[in-house]
Amino acid sequence: MGLWSRLKAFTGAGGPVDPDRRLSGEAVLTIGIHSLFQFGASMAGLFLNLYLWRLTEDLAVNGIYNIVVFLLTPVGFLAGAWLAKRTDRLVTYRIGIVLTALFYLLVILAGTAVVRHYIWFGLFSGIASGMYWTAYLVLMYDVSTPANRIRFLGLNTTFFNLAGLAGPAVAGTIIGVMEGLTGYLVTFSLSLALFVAAAALSLRLRPSGFRHKTFYIGLVPHVMRRQPAWLRALFAFFLWGLFQGITLFLPNILLYRTVGREDWVGYLTIFFSGLVILSSFLVSRFGREHFGRLYVLLSSAGVVIGAAFLFIDFAFWTVAVFMILFSLGNPLMNNTLSNFYYRRIALLPLRGQLRNEAIVMREVFLNAGRVLSIVALLAFADNPESAMLPVVLFAAALTQMPIFFLVEKPARQPAESR
């Protein structure tokens, strides 16, 4: 049995799975391309923040870089959604992959000069990321159905994190055996090759066939007033962003501070990614929509308990406990919110024609939370030695608890227009 056949069998694209929950071949291909993209992104993205840290040892540089990325990502989403409406989401998807590849090519060419122009690199990264993710989030909606979506999301997260597990291992080994900063540049070069391969594979995906080209972003405020449940869903993503903004870059710096070696950061990331994969696989196998609020409660309680351990000490074991609980709980929150949001999109006016606009607004709220959390981090704990750092992390974790009240139980399975 070939690799592609094994992937199809494991994901249920032709195996003994309930027919309603079985994934189409295009859904499996989408997961495969996204995993390849994540393999390259995890190799480069994980160590880009460490690269900046090694060059400056200034948390403010990492914080400002990520603020710029998160501020520009919604702009990339807006441009990508508009282009997807005028052409097709696959055009935006491929442009996002190519721009990401170009970003890391520029990192390679700039070398240590990245630190002098990190704001411009943040601008570029935000636009590239926005273009890619707006298309991919719409693509996930298109290739899944209400019956198999929670399974699709669980398997997508599983394979996404399998790729995220392998990437840091390869990158950590390369950086560990090469002297100075050479390993970083080799890592970025390998990532570039993987992005090119992902772009080539995306040519096998079919256009959506949607004929409605009007971009309805101007209707969003009106729809928010008429659909308060959608606004609650957006606010849930804002709260999630208040914690996610910090955890997208700070944990790896804390790990490096406690172990002192980039290769060990890569190996530890393998362990934590393994926990994410385990949690994601269990969600894909046993997860059900009506348990969504329980999953949110378990996830938010886990990160609060994990953050509380950091009050004891910023030692390796306390950071590890925090990362273990975060890794186990994050797929529960991610998949529940994504499934909940796709359910809300299906109930918006114009029968599916607002899905691009809804994805843009999701990113606006999510990144507003991310930016606010990083600003708070830099305002109250601008270096890893700050006594306020555990306070900021604990406060950010507490903001996850109200999400429980914003996620609704599924009342019915919406009829979607394809």
Side-chain angles (χ1 to χ4, degrees), residues 304-334:
V304 169
I305 294 170
F309 272 86
L310 299 176
F311 284 107
I312 301 172
D313 187 18
F314 257 111
F316 169 71
W317 76 272
T318 57
V319 174
V321 169
F322 170 72
M323 290 297 295
I324 288 170
L325 293 174
F326 170 69
S327 299
L328 289 172
N330 195 51
L332 298 176
M333 182 71 78
N334 182 19

Side-chain angles (χ1 to χ4, degrees), residues 229 231-233 235-237 239 293 340 402-408:
L231 187 57
R232 287 196 298 271
F235 190 62
F237 276 100
L239 292 177
R293 299 184 79 197
F340 169 53
I403 297 176
F404 173 83
F405 301 101
L406 297 173
V407 174
E408 301 172 343

Side-chain angles (χ1 to χ4, degrees), residues 92-124:
T92 301
Y93 188 52
R94 291 163 189 150
I95 289 175
I97 296 175
V98 171
L99 286 179
T100 303
L102 181 59
F103 170 78
Y104 285 106
L105 176 61
L106 292 175
V107 170
I108 295 167
L109 295 175
T112 57
V114 167
V115 75
R116 295 200 303 270
H117 308 289
Y118 70 93
I119 290 180
W120 290 105
F121 277 93
L123 291 170
F124 197 117

Side-chain angles (χ1 to χ4, degrees), residues 304-370:
V304 169
I305 294 170
F309 272 86
L310 299 176
F311 284 107
I312 301 172
D313 187 18
F314 257 111
F316 169 71
W317 76 272
T318 57
V319 174
V321 169
F322 170 72
M323 290 297 295
I324 288 170
L325 293 174
F326 170 69
S327 299
L328 289 172
N330 195 51
L332 298 176
M333 182 71 78
N334 182 19
N335 292 341
T336 299
L337 287 183
S338 296
N339 187 53
F340 169 53
Y341 195 66
Y342 283 136
R343 209 165 61 233
R344 294 309 323 168
I345 290 177
L347 298 175
L348 293 178
L350 302 180
R351 298 179 60 80
Q353 295 180 44
L354 287 176
R355 67 197 198 290
N356 286 278
E357 293 82 352
I359 292 300
V360 170
M361 294 311 302
R362 168 196 179 275
E363 196 65 15
V364 168
F365 277 76
L366 177 63
N367 280 278
R370 288 170 171 171

Side-chain angles (χ1 to χ4, degrees), residues 30-367:
T30 300
I31 291 175
I33 296 171
H34 188 50
S35 300
L36 187 63
F37 179 88
Q38 170 60 7
F39 185 44
S42 66
M43 286 179 64
L46 169 67
F47 288 97
L48 181 58
N49 276 295
L50 280 181
Y51 189 53
L52 291 173
W53 173 257
R54 282 286 306 275
L55 290 171
T56 64
E57 294 192 358
D58 186 354
L59 190 60
V61 171
N62 288 87
I64 294 171
Y65 170 80
N66 282 279
I67 286 174
V68 172
V69 170
F70 295 145
L71 284 174
L72 267 293
T73 299
V75 177
F77 264 75
L78 187 64
W82 178 86
L83 182 62
K85 268 294 188 73
R86 302 300 296 176
T87 55
D88 187 83
R89 76 270 202 261
L90 290 179
V91 175
T92 301
Y93 188 52
R94 291 163 189 150
I95 289 175
I97 296 175
V98 171
L99 286 179
T100 303
L102 181 59
F103 170 78
Y104 285 106
L105 176 61
L106 292 175
V107 170
I108 295 167
L109 295 175
T112 57
V114 167
V115 75
R116 295 200 303 270
H117 308 289
Y118 70 93
I119 290 180
W120 290 105
F121 277 93
L123 291 170
F124 197 117
S125 179
I127 295 294
S129 177
M131 294 285 284
Y132 175 83
W133 279 99
T134 189
Y136 186 69
L137 290 170
V138 172
L139 195 59
M140 287 199 296
Y141 178 85
D142 287 346
V143 301
S144 61
T145 68
N148 69 18
R149 187 162 290 140
I150 196 165
R151 175 176 171 78
F152 172 83
L153 292 170
L155 287 170
N156 179 71
T157 307
T158 300
F159 282 94
F160 180 82
N161 284 284
L162 276 171
L165 183 151
V170 173
T173 301
I174 292 171
I175 292 171
V177 299
M178 293 187 173
E179 296 182 359
L181 299 174
T182 304
Y184 286 96
L185 299 181
V186 172
T187 296
F188 298 148
S189 300
L190 288 176
S191 297
L192 175 61
L194 289 168
F195 295 140
V196 172
L201 276 176
S202 72
L203 296 174
R204 298 181 60 180
L205 294 171
R206 297 191 304 268
S208 65
F210 271 86
R211 298 179 180 179
H212 301 283
K213 304 297 184 181
T214 305
F215 192 42
Y216 294 109
I217 198 68
L219 294 179
V220 164
H222 175 71
V223 177
M224 284 182 180
R225 290 192 296 270
R226 297 289 299 272
Q227 299 264 353
W230 182 40
L231 187 57
R232 287 196 298 271
L234 290 170
F235 190 62
F237 276 100
F238 170 77
L239 292 177
W240 190 36
L242 288 174
F243 185 67
Q244 197 191 49
I246 297 175
T247 56
L248 285 174
F249 77 97
L250 186 61
N252 291 320
I253 293 175
L254 297 179
L255 284 173
Y256 178 73
R257 198 186 128 213
T258 58
V259 300
R261 291 174 52 179
E262 291 97 334
D263 54 344
W264 275 102
V265 173
Y267 302 144
L268 287 167
T269 301
I270 294 175
F271 172 70
F272 297 131
S273 295
L275 296 179
V276 174
I277 291 166
L278 173 63
S279 180
S280 301
F281 178 74
L282 292 175
V283 169
S284 73
R285 189 68 181 270
F286 305 109
R288 296 295 183 269
E289 279 193 318
H290 59 277
F291 288 131
R293 299 184 79 197
L294 175 62
Y295 300 152
V296 169
L297 182 61
L298 291 174
S299 175
S300 54
V303 296
V304 169
I305 294 170
F309 272 86
L310 299 176
F311 284 107
I312 301 172
D313 187 18
F314 257 111
F316 169 71
W317 76 272
T318 57
V319 174
V321 169
F322 170 72
M323 290 297 295
I324 288 170
L325 293 174
F326 170 69
S327 299
L328 289 172
N330 195 51
L332 298 176
M333 182 71 78
N334 182 19
N335 292 341
T336 299
L337 287 183
S338 296
N339 187 53
F340 169 53
Y341 195 66
Y342 283 136
R343 209 165 61 233
R344 294 309 323 168
I345 290 177
L347 298 175
L348 293 178
L350 302 180
R351 298 179 60 80
Q353 295 180 44
L354 287 176
R355 67 197 198 290
N356 286 278
E357 293 82 352
I359 292 300
V360 170
M361 294 311 302
R362 168 196 179 275
E363 196 65 15
V364 168
F365 277 76
L366 177 63
N367 280 278

